[in-house]
Amino acid sequence: MFESGNLMSMDDIGRGEAVYLVVQEYVSIAMFMTLAILLFSGYPVAFILGGLSMLYGVVGYFLDIFALIEFFNFVPRIWGTAAENLVLVAVPAFVFMGVMLERSGIANDLLYCVQVLLRRVPGSLALAVTVMGTVLAAMTGIIGASVTMMTALALPTMMRQGYSHALATGVIAASGTLGILIPPSIMLIIMADLMAISVGNVFMAAVVPGLTLATFYLIYVATLATLKPAMAPPLPAHLLNIPKGQMAPLVARSFLPPVFLISLIKGSILFGFATPSEAGAVGAFGATLLAAANGRLSRGTLVGVCHSAARTVSMIFFIVVSATCFAYVYRSLGGDEVIETLIIEKAGLGPWGMLILVMVIVFILGFFLDFLEITLIVLPVFVPLVIQMDFGDHVPHADIKFWFIILLAVNLQTSFLTPPFGFALFYMKGIAPKEIKIQSIYKGIIPFVILQAMGVVTVMAFPQVALWLMHTAYG
């Protein structure tokens, strides 16, 4: 006969096993929550992702849901994801091209040329900055370079011309972020690779939404300049009288070469004549030739471009490697199954509720994280849930991946503009004149964040905005 004390011990053991099973089931949620907390620490995200993958791998070992030998799986996954991945070869090439265009002053010449061409339009300088941001997006896809360069080149001019500080900073910051959406976007290359789909298809799907967003900016600026001309004064009279004999050489020298380079790169990818890696190499070589043709390619310039590009590329790949390890451990601990159960079964969300929830989560993460970090965290968790859902006749099932990527890309525009960690705002504040207050910058980006949200709603309500050109080109 058992004593009551022994019976109590057996009950305690039963309760302990139940708690143990609960801990096993939800350890992946603890992993995700720990990540969310540590992101506020300001510690480099690559170290956080890599450290948590090691820590929770050990925790999973003690909970009998992760084998230590699985750590060896990191090596082939890192090799296959980054080192051996031929698609990601395009990233260093496009980074080099963007930095070369910035350092050689070619982008500066292009900004001035666009400004002259739009000189008779209300808010011409702000419109020129928006067009320039769109062109730079098509050339580089490097947000830091675009925003920094355009702040240094355009902001002092806009201030001298009497532009509202809020409008000037908002236009520069918003147009500078178009680089993560308009091809050839580094973010789209990484997204397409993570989802194992065609980069060319994704590029084609992003063209119209990117241009739509740029059009929203142009309409807003032109309307504001018309209604409140004091916020966007016209160009000085001496800039309105460009001799006809100087206009054609200006366009031929400053506008046509970079536009031709953009068309060559974009067209070769979109129409299947070259892979992203090949087009990136052509772009890097073409940017170097343009710099040499303009007499701006020196040894010091080339060394500086290589150093800057190397730092940017190393940061990108370090995060890719760490996120690969994090995603592997997270899935091994059952994270995707737990999220699916919590969101779909217990929350009772349908396809549209799930999609809206993901968009809200991405928007909130944009307050604290960079687009690359959000991409590498969100895609492995939510893509398997979204692509299995049925949106009926609204979106064909085969197109859901492309539609979702573009929705995510448009949404991620806000991650550069929303405080407290909007990186475009940091880039701008770092080199803006002292007269520009951070309050003016925050005030200036609000209308553009609203426009970006309108872009998300537009693509969500009308999927053909993203899918039409892709279907037209590839059938």
Side-chain angles (χ1 to χ4, degrees), residues 230-318:
M231 297 184 66
L235 283 173
H238 68 277
L239 291 178
L240 294 176
N241 299 316
I242 304 296
K244 292 183 178 180
Q246 296 182 12
M247 182 64 72
L250 177 64
V251 172
R253 182 180 64 254
S254 302
F255 187 80
L256 293 181
V259 169
F260 174 76
L261 180 62
I262 296 167
S263 302
L264 182 64
I265 296 169
K266 192 184 300 293
S268 63
I269 296 175
L270 295 182
F271 295 105
F273 297 119
T275 65
S277 304
E278 295 166 344
V282 171
F285 183 67
T288 305
L289 285 182
L290 287 180
N294 284 275
R296 298 169 181 172
L297 183 63
S298 63
R299 177 181 175 84
T301 300
L302 185 60
V303 170
V305 168
C306 291
H307 287 173
S308 180
R311 286 192 296 268
T312 302
V313 171
S314 62
M315 179 273 295
I316 292 173
F317 278 87
F318 194 5

Side-chain angles (χ1 to χ4, degrees), residues 16-90:
E17 290 179 349
V19 171
Y20 182 77
L21 292 175
V22 170
V23 172
Q24 273 188 329
E25 183 176 358
Y26 292 105
V27 65
S28 59
I29 295 181
M31 182 180 184
F32 196 82
M33 294 303 296
T34 306
L35 171 64
I37 294 171
L38 291 179
L39 290 174
F40 290 95
S41 67
Y43 204 65
V45 174
F47 294 151
I48 293 175
L49 291 170
L52 287 180
S53 63
M54 298 297 294
L55 173 63
Y56 275 89
V58 174
V59 171
Y61 167 74
F62 286 108
L63 294 175
D64 295 328
I65 54 177
F66 188 89
L68 292 182
I69 198 172
E70 290 187 73
F71 282 128
F72 287 97
N73 290 334
F74 285 0
V75 176
R77 284 178 174 268
I78 291 171
W79 182 262
T81 301
E84 198 180 33
N85 193 323
L86 297 180
V87 175
L88 294 184
V89 174

Side-chain angles (χ1 to χ4, degrees), residues 352 386-404 462-464 467-468 470-471:
W352 287 104
V386 173
I387 61 177
Q388 70 181 5
M389 292 186 170
D390 183 12
F391 291 91
D393 296 333
H394 192 71
V395 183
H397 190 268
D399 293 333
I400 289 179
K401 283 186 178 181
F402 301 101
W403 181 52
F404 179 70
F462 305 101
Q464 290 305 313
L467 302 177
W468 170 78
M470 183 184 73
H471 287 159

Side-chain angles (χ1 to χ4, degrees), residues 11-335:
D11 290 340
D12 291 340
I13 292 173
R15 284 192 292 269
E17 290 179 349
V19 171
Y20 182 77
L21 292 175
V22 170
V23 172
Q24 273 188 329
E25 183 176 358
Y26 292 105
V27 65
S28 59
I29 295 181
M31 182 180 184
F32 196 82
M33 294 303 296
T34 306
L35 171 64
I37 294 171
L38 291 179
L39 290 174
F40 290 95
S41 67
Y43 204 65
V45 174
F47 294 151
I48 293 175
L49 291 170
L52 287 180
S53 63
M54 298 297 294
L55 173 63
Y56 275 89
V58 174
V59 171
Y61 167 74
F62 286 108
L63 294 175
D64 295 328
I65 54 177
F66 188 89
L68 292 182
I69 198 172
E70 290 187 73
F71 282 128
F72 287 97
N73 290 334
F74 285 0
V75 176
R77 284 178 174 268
I78 291 171
W79 182 262
T81 301
E84 198 180 33
N85 193 323
L86 297 180
V87 175
L88 294 184
V89 174
V91 173
F94 282 124
V95 170
F96 179 92
M97 180 180 72
V99 177
M100 177 60 75
L101 291 171
E102 174 198 0
R103 296 289 182 90
S104 64
I106 295 172
N108 183 17
D109 295 343
L110 183 59
L111 173 61
Y112 175 71
C113 183
V114 174
Q115 180 183 350
V116 170
L117 293 174
L118 297 174
R119 63 190 181 277
R120 299 188 184 280
V121 181
S124 60
L125 183 54
L127 293 175
V129 169
T130 305
V131 173
M132 180 66 181
T134 306
V135 174
L136 281 178
M139 288 195 295
T140 66
I142 307 172
I143 306 304
S146 298
V147 174
T148 301
M149 180 189 62
M150 293 178 63
T151 301
L153 298 178
L155 187 55
T157 303
M158 298 177 85
M159 292 174 63
R160 287 194 301 269
Q161 197 169 312
Y163 268 70
S164 161
H165 289 182
L167 176 61
T169 55
V171 167
I172 293 173
S175 58
T177 62
L178 287 170
I180 68 168
L181 179 58
I182 298 179
S185 162
I186 293 172
M187 181 189 71
L188 294 180
I189 294 174
I190 295 173
M191 280 184 168
D193 178 68
L194 288 174
M195 297 182 67
I197 56 180
S198 167
V199 175
N201 282 350
V202 175
F203 277 4
M204 192 66 81
V207 171
V208 176
L211 296 179
T212 300
L213 208 54
T215 302
F216 285 171
Y217 297 166
L218 292 171
I219 293 173
Y220 168 73
V221 170
T223 303
L224 187 64
T226 302
L227 297 177
K228 297 182 178 180
M231 297 184 66
L235 283 173
H238 68 277
L239 291 178
L240 294 176
N241 299 316
I242 304 296
K244 292 183 178 180
Q246 296 182 12
M247 182 64 72
L250 177 64
V251 172
R253 182 180 64 254
S254 302
F255 187 80
L256 293 181
V259 169
F260 174 76
L261 180 62
I262 296 167
S263 302
L264 182 64
I265 296 169
K266 192 184 300 293
S268 63
I269 296 175
L270 295 182
F271 295 105
F273 297 119
T275 65
S277 304
E278 295 166 344
V282 171
F285 183 67
T288 305
L289 285 182
L290 287 180
N294 284 275
R296 298 169 181 172
L297 183 63
S298 63
R299 177 181 175 84
T301 300
L302 185 60
V303 170
V305 168
C306 291
H307 287 173
S308 180
R311 286 192 296 268
T312 302
V313 171
S314 62
M315 179 273 295
I316 292 173
F317 278 87
F318 194 5
I319 295 177
V320 169
V321 167
S322 300
T324 300
C325 300
F326 182 91
Y328 176 80
V329 175
Y330 182 79
R331 285 189 169 182
S332 294
L333 298 179

